[in-house]
Amino acid sequence: MMSIMPLTLTDLVSSCKQNIVSDMGGEKVMLNVKNGNYYNLGQIGGRIWDCIHDPVSVEELIGRLTEEFDVDDSACAEQVFSFLEQLRGEGLLLVNEENKNAANV
């Protein structure tokens, strides 16, 4: 079994495109059409989802969020890494080479 390395600031991340996403009352909800699971991303999770529509470095993502929200860099980084790892664990996040492979499909 191949080990997955933790995300780093330089990793390029983007959202998987085979999901149905909708805004409901200011929060994003998503249906993963592969497994039928529903997710409530919330307001900030929804904003992160919007930011990762196209590949972006984790560092750039954190920078955008600290400019938009009243949060310090370290707290933002901790929460963003945690959220991205959850998305990754659910198969909802493309990382580095996966972005290039998805573009060629």
Side-chain angles (χ1 to χ4, degrees):
M1 183 172 162
M2 193 169 118
S3 173
I4 296 177
M5 299 297 295
L7 292 170
T8 68
L9 288 171
T10 58
D11 283 326
L12 290 177
V13 296
S14 69
S15 58
C16 292
K17 306 303 182 232
Q18 69 272 13
N19 302 297
I20 299 170
V21 182
S22 180
D23 287 305
M24 295 189 69
E27 296 187 350
K28 287 243 189 281
V29 293
M30 175 176 44
L31 170 64
N32 182 328
V33 295
K34 276 186 171 178
N35 63 22
N37 288 342
Y38 282 96
Y39 304 90
N40 181 344
L41 301 178
Q43 182 180 12
I44 296 174
R47 180 64 186 123
I48 293 172
W49 188 259
D50 288 343
C51 288
I52 63 173
H53 181 267
D54 296 313
V56 62
S57 73
V58 175
E59 183 173 39
E60 185 179 338
L61 174 61
I62 292 167
R64 285 184 197 174
L65 295 170
T66 55
E67 287 178 11
E68 288 183 39
F69 298 97
D70 184 22
V71 61
D72 68 67
D73 292 349
S74 62
C76 184
E78 181 180 326
Q79 294 299 312
V80 167
F81 276 112
S82 175
F83 183 74
L84 292 176
E85 290 291 3
Q86 288 176 345
L87 291 176
R88 189 182 199 186
E90 293 290 324
L92 303 171
L93 186 72
L94 301 175
V95 181
N96 293 328
E97 290 300 316
E98 296 169 335
N99 286 302
K100 292 177 188 165
N101 294 340
N104 294 327
V105 173

